[in-house]
Amino acid sequence: STSELDPERGVRRRRGVEEYRPAPSPFGAPVSAAMQRGGRVPLAPQLDVRLLERPKAYAGAAEGWQTWKLKTKSYMARIEGGFEAAMREAEAETKNIVRMPSEYVPLSKFLFASLISLVEGVPLELISSISEHNGFEAWRRLCADQRRRLERNQLQRVEGLLNPEFGSGVGFRPKWLAWERQL
């Protein structure tokens, strides 16, 4: 079998298929279990961003956070495959992200510019003061802020899960799926 390695991109091409081997976290966070096992993840094909639906602006509502976060991570990963692991690692980081390898700086600046256009209200105020347009720190702060808000509202969530209201008809299935996801 033929195999070529491109160390700058962390990509190995074998039989016409590119595989990505994740590097240790650039932010100092522990390496995830998937990365420790040395798992290979096929690279996503790069798409013309104009073909993707851009996530709508997020204004800070707790009930819309999980959906917005999923759409934003997916959108960024389709723009550049390196965003997926980097955003996951940034989200897991507990301390401010102040240093990163030089190859992550352009990704960080692009993520910051994207987030500025994808948030409004309180989330925009939260990230607008971040120095050097550090997108990974902005992502970490957004996730940490939402995590704190969700923890404060945990009792209300439990009450809502114990007493769900699904309604009937067309609206039943989406409400049931949202309820199930929260379990």
Side-chain angles (χ1 to χ4, degrees):
S1 77
T2 60
S3 178
E4 301 171 29
L5 179 63
D6 181 352
E8 287 184 16
R9 291 180 42 218
V11 173
R12 180 179 304 274
R13 180 178 281 284
R14 184 179 301 169
R15 288 188 233 137
V17 176
E18 288 186 339
E19 295 176 343
Y20 170 67
R21 288 192 174 249
S25 170
F27 310 119
V31 177
S32 67
M35 290 180 184
Q36 288 175 355
R37 289 191 302 268
R40 295 179 186 161
V41 181
L43 281 180
Q46 298 303 309
L47 301 173
D48 185 345
V49 180
R50 295 172 295 184
L51 299 175
L52 300 175
E53 181 181 351
R54 204 182 148 105
K56 293 185 178 20
Y58 176 68
E63 61 273 358
W65 167 249
Q66 291 296 334
T67 301
W68 181 83
K69 179 177 148 186
L70 175 67
K71 287 181 177 184
T72 301
K73 285 171 70 174
S74 177
Y75 179 77
M76 297 306 296
R78 293 307 139 242
I79 292 172
E80 169 60 49
F83 276 120
E84 189 168 7
M87 288 173 77
R88 184 175 43 252
E89 296 295 337
E91 183 179 339
E93 186 61 44
T94 57
K95 297 179 183 170
N96 288 354
I97 299 169
V98 292
R99 291 186 303 190
M100 69 188 78
S102 59
E103 62 267 14
Y104 278 76
V105 172
L107 285 176
S108 178
K109 291 193 181 302
F110 185 84
L111 178 59
F112 187 83
S114 297
L115 288 174
I116 288 293
S117 68
L118 291 172
V119 297
E120 55 189 30
V122 174
L124 180 59
E125 292 300 319
L126 180 69
I127 66 174
S128 64
S129 64
I130 294 174
S131 63
E132 300 180 22
H133 297 146
N134 185 338
F136 294 117
E137 175 60 13
W139 183 254
R140 186 196 71 78
R141 285 190 194 180
L142 282 171
C143 293
D145 182 61
Q146 287 300 320
R147 192 169 27 255
R148 280 190 298 273
R149 288 177 62 194
L150 289 174
E151 288 170 0
R152 283 193 305 254
N153 297 327
Q154 191 172 18
L155 182 59
Q156 289 175 334
R157 282 186 59 220
V158 170
E159 286 179 12
L161 290 173
L162 294 175
N163 300 309
E165 292 187 27
F166 300 124
S168 62
V170 177
F172 173 81
R173 192 167 198 290
K175 288 178 183 177
W176 176 70
L177 290 172
W179 174 80
E180 189 176 58
R181 187 175 56 240
Q182 290 179 18
L183 291 178

Short mmCIF file of all heavy atoms in Angstrom, two decimals, residues 65-91:
data_model
loop_
_atom_site.label_atom_id
_atom_site.label_comp_id
_atom_site.label_asym_id
_atom_site.label_seq_id
_atom_site.Cartn_x
_atom_site.Cartn_y
_atom_site.Cartn_z
N TRP A 65 -28.72 27.49 23.14
CA TRP A 65 -27.27 27.34 23.17
C TRP A 65 -26.77 26.05 22.51
O TRP A 65 -25.89 26.08 21.66
CB TRP A 65 -26.74 27.43 24.59
CG TRP A 65 -25.33 26.98 24.74
CD1 TRP A 65 -24.89 25.86 25.37
CD2 TRP A 65 -24.16 27.62 24.22
NE1 TRP A 65 -23.52 25.77 25.28
CE2 TRP A 65 -23.05 26.85 24.57
CE3 TRP A 65 -23.94 28.77 23.47
CZ2 TRP A 65 -21.74 27.18 24.22
CZ3 TRP A 65 -22.64 29.11 23.11
CH2 TRP A 65 -21.57 28.33 23.50
N GLN A 66 -27.31 24.92 22.91
CA GLN A 66 -26.80 23.63 22.41
C GLN A 66 -26.93 23.54 20.89
O GLN A 66 -26.01 23.07 20.21
CB GLN A 66 -27.52 22.46 23.08
CG GLN A 66 -27.19 22.29 24.55
CD GLN A 66 -25.72 21.96 24.80
OE1 GLN A 66 -25.03 21.41 23.95
NE2 GLN A 66 -25.23 22.32 25.97
N THR A 67 -28.05 23.97 20.36
CA THR A 67 -28.26 23.93 18.91
C THR A 67 -27.29 24.87 18.21
O THR A 67 -26.66 24.50 17.21
CB THR A 67 -29.71 24.29 18.57
OG1 THR A 67 -30.57 23.37 19.22
CG2 THR A 67 -29.95 24.26 17.08
N TRP A 68 -27.16 26.09 18.71
CA TRP A 68 -26.25 27.06 18.09
C TRP A 68 -24.81 26.57 18.15
O TRP A 68 -24.06 26.67 17.18
CB TRP A 68 -26.38 28.42 18.78
CG TRP A 68 -25.49 29.44 18.16
CD1 TRP A 68 -25.75 30.19 17.05
CD2 TRP A 68 -24.17 29.80 18.57
NE1 TRP A 68 -24.67 31.00 16.76
CE2 TRP A 68 -23.69 30.78 17.68
CE3 TRP A 68 -23.35 29.39 19.62
CZ2 TRP A 68 -22.44 31.35 17.80
CZ3 TRP A 68 -22.09 29.96 19.74
CH2 TRP A 68 -21.65 30.92 18.83
N LYS A 69 -24.42 26.02 19.29
CA LYS A 69 -23.05 25.51 19.46
C LYS A 69 -22.77 24.39 18.45
O LYS A 69 -21.73 24.39 17.79
CB LYS A 69 -22.89 25.01 20.90
CG LYS A 69 -21.54 24.44 21.20
CD LYS A 69 -21.51 24.04 22.68
CE LYS A 69 -20.64 22.86 22.89
NZ LYS A 69 -20.69 22.35 24.26
N LEU A 70 -23.69 23.46 18.30
CA LEU A 70 -23.54 22.36 17.36
C LEU A 70 -23.40 22.88 15.93
O LEU A 70 -22.50 22.48 15.18
CB LEU A 70 -24.72 21.40 17.47
CG LEU A 70 -24.76 20.25 16.46
CD1 LEU A 70 -23.60 19.29 16.70
CD2 LEU A 70 -26.08 19.53 16.55
N LYS A 71 -24.29 23.80 15.54
CA LYS A 71 -24.25 24.34 14.19
C LYS A 71 -22.97 25.14 13.94
O LYS A 71 -22.38 25.05 12.86
CB LYS A 71 -25.47 25.24 13.93
CG LYS A 71 -26.75 24.46 13.77
CD LYS A 71 -27.92 25.38 13.49
CE LYS A 71 -29.18 24.59 13.27
NZ LYS A 71 -30.31 25.47 12.90
N THR A 72 -22.53 25.89 14.92
CA THR A 72 -21.32 26.70 14.77
C THR A 72 -20.08 25.82 14.66
O THR A 72 -19.22 26.05 13.79
CB THR A 72 -21.18 27.69 15.94
OG1 THR A 72 -22.34 28.53 15.95
CG2 THR A 72 -19.94 28.55 15.80
N LYS A 73 -19.98 24.82 15.50
CA LYS A 73 -18.82 23.91 15.42
C LYS A 73 -18.79 23.19 14.08
O LYS A 73 -17.74 23.04 13.46
CB LYS A 73 -18.86 22.90 16.58
CG LYS A 73 -18.46 23.51 17.90
CD LYS A 73 -18.71 22.59 19.07
CE LYS A 73 -17.80 21.41 19.10
NZ LYS A 73 -17.96 20.60 20.33
N SER A 74 -19.94 22.75 13.62
CA SER A 74 -20.02 22.06 12.33
C SER A 74 -19.65 23.00 11.19
O SER A 74 -18.91 22.63 10.28
CB SER A 74 -21.43 21.50 12.13
OG SER A 74 -21.55 20.89 10.89
N TYR A 75 -20.17 24.21 11.23
CA TYR A 75 -19.88 25.21 10.20
C TYR A 75 -18.38 25.50 10.14
O TYR A 75 -17.78 25.49 9.06
CB TYR A 75 -20.68 26.48 10.52
CG TYR A 75 -20.46 27.62 9.56
CD1 TYR A 75 -21.07 27.62 8.32
CD2 TYR A 75 -19.67 28.71 9.91
CE1 TYR A 75 -20.90 28.68 7.44
CE2 TYR A 75 -19.50 29.78 9.04
CZ TYR A 75 -20.11 29.75 7.81
OH TYR A 75 -19.93 30.79 6.95
N MET A 76 -17.77 25.72 11.28
CA MET A 76 -16.34 26.04 11.31
C MET A 76 -15.50 24.84 10.85
O MET A 76 -14.51 25.01 10.14
CB MET A 76 -15.91 26.48 12.72
CG MET A 76 -16.59 27.76 13.20
SD MET A 76 -16.43 29.17 12.10
CE MET A 76 -14.68 29.45 12.13
N ALA A 77 -15.91 23.64 11.21
CA ALA A 77 -15.16 22.44 10.81
C ALA A 77 -15.23 22.22 9.30
O ALA A 77 -14.30 21.66 8.71
CB ALA A 77 -15.70 21.21 11.54
N ARG A 78 -16.31 22.63 8.65
CA ARG A 78 -16.41 22.49 7.21
C ARG A 78 -15.57 23.54 6.49
O ARG A 78 -15.16 23.33 5.36
CB ARG A 78 -17.87 22.60 6.73
CG ARG A 78 -18.75 21.46 7.18
CD ARG A 78 -18.17 20.08 6.82
NE ARG A 78 -18.37 19.17 7.92
CZ ARG A 78 -17.40 18.57 8.61
NH1 ARG A 78 -16.15 18.74 8.33
NH2 ARG A 78 -17.67 17.77 9.60
N ILE A 79 -15.33 24.66 7.13
CA ILE A 79 -14.46 25.68 6.56
C ILE A 79 -13.02 25.21 6.60
O ILE A 79 -12.29 25.30 5.62
CB ILE A 79 -14.61 27.02 7.31
CG1 ILE A 79 -16.00 27.59 7.06
CG2 ILE A 79 -13.52 28.01 6.90
CD1 ILE A 79 -16.33 28.80 7.91
N GLU A 80 -12.62 24.67 7.76
CA GLU A 80 -11.24 24.19 7.95
C GLU A 80 -11.29 23.04 8.95
O GLU A 80 -11.75 23.22 10.08
CB GLU A 80 -10.36 25.33 8.46
CG GLU A 80 -8.99 24.91 8.93
CD GLU A 80 -8.15 24.24 7.86
OE1 GLU A 80 -8.06 24.78 6.74
OE2 GLU A 80 -7.60 23.16 8.14
N GLY A 81 -10.82 21.88 8.55
CA GLY A 81 -10.90 20.69 9.38
C GLY A 81 -10.23 20.82 10.74
O GLY A 81 -10.63 20.19 11.70
N GLY A 82 -9.22 21.68 10.86
CA GLY A 82 -8.52 21.85 12.12
C GLY A 82 -9.35 22.48 13.22
O GLY A 82 -9.02 22.37 14.40
N PHE A 83 -10.44 23.14 12.86
CA PHE A 83 -11.28 23.80 13.87
C PHE A 83 -11.94 22.80 14.80
O PHE A 83 -12.11 23.07 15.99
CB PHE A 83 -12.36 24.65 13.21
CG PHE A 83 -11.91 26.02 12.82
CD1 PHE A 83 -11.95 26.42 11.50
CD2 PHE A 83 -11.44 26.92 13.77
CE1 PHE A 83 -11.54 27.68 11.13
CE2 PHE A 83 -11.03 28.18 13.42
CZ PHE A 83 -11.07 28.57 12.09
N GLU A 84 -12.33 21.66 14.30
CA GLU A 84 -13.10 20.71 15.11
C GLU A 84 -12.37 20.32 16.39
O GLU A 84 -12.89 20.50 17.49
CB GLU A 84 -13.44 19.47 14.29
CG GLU A 84 -14.40 18.55 14.98
CD GLU A 84 -14.94 17.48 14.04
OE1 GLU A 84 -14.48 17.37 12.89
OE2 GLU A 84 -15.83 16.76 14.48
N ALA A 85 -11.17 19.80 16.26
CA ALA A 85 -10.41 19.39 17.45
C ALA A 85 -9.97 20.59 18.27
O ALA A 85 -10.01 20.54 19.51
CB ALA A 85 -9.19 18.57 17.03
N ALA A 86 -9.56 21.67 17.62
CA ALA A 86 -9.09 22.85 18.35
C ALA A 86 -10.20 23.48 19.18
O ALA A 86 -9.99 23.88 20.32
CB ALA A 86 -8.50 23.86 17.38
N MET A 87 -11.42 23.55 18.63
CA MET A 87 -12.54 24.12 19.39
C MET A 87 -12.92 23.21 20.54
O MET A 87 -13.26 23.69 21.63
CB MET A 87 -13.73 24.37 18.47
CG MET A 87 -13.52 25.53 17.51
SD MET A 87 -14.83 25.72 16.29
CE MET A 87 -16.11 26.49 17.29
N ARG A 88 -12.85 21.90 20.35
CA ARG A 88 -13.15 20.95 21.42
C ARG A 88 -12.14 21.11 22.56
O ARG A 88 -12.50 21.14 23.74
CB ARG A 88 -13.15 19.53 20.87
CG ARG A 88 -13.55 18.48 21.88
CD ARG A 88 -13.67 17.07 21.29
NE ARG A 88 -12.62 16.70 20.37
CZ ARG A 88 -12.77 16.57 19.04
NH1 ARG A 88 -13.95 16.78 18.49
NH2 ARG A 88 -11.77 16.22 18.27
N GLU A 89 -10.87 21.24 22.21
CA GLU A 89 -9.83 21.41 23.22
C GLU A 89 -9.96 22.75 23.93
O GLU A 89 -9.76 22.83 25.14
CB GLU A 89 -8.44 21.26 22.60
CG GLU A 89 -8.15 19.88 22.04
CD GLU A 89 -8.11 18.78 23.10
OE1 GLU A 89 -7.88 19.08 24.29
OE2 GLU A 89 -8.32 17.62 22.74
N ALA A 90 -10.27 23.81 23.19
CA ALA A 90 -10.44 25.13 23.80
C ALA A 90 -11.61 25.11 24.79
O ALA A 90 -11.54 25.69 25.87
CB ALA A 90 -10.67 26.19 22.72
N GLU A 91 -12.68 24.44 24.41
CA GLU A 91 -13.86 24.34 25.28
C GLU A 91 -13.52 23.62 26.58
O GLU A 91 -14.04 23.96 27.65
CB GLU A 91 -14.96 23.58 24.54
CG GLU A 91 -16.24 23.47 25.28
CD GLU A 91 -17.30 22.73 24.46
OE1 GLU A 91 -17.19 22.65 23.22
OE2 GLU A 91 -18.26 22.26 25.08
#
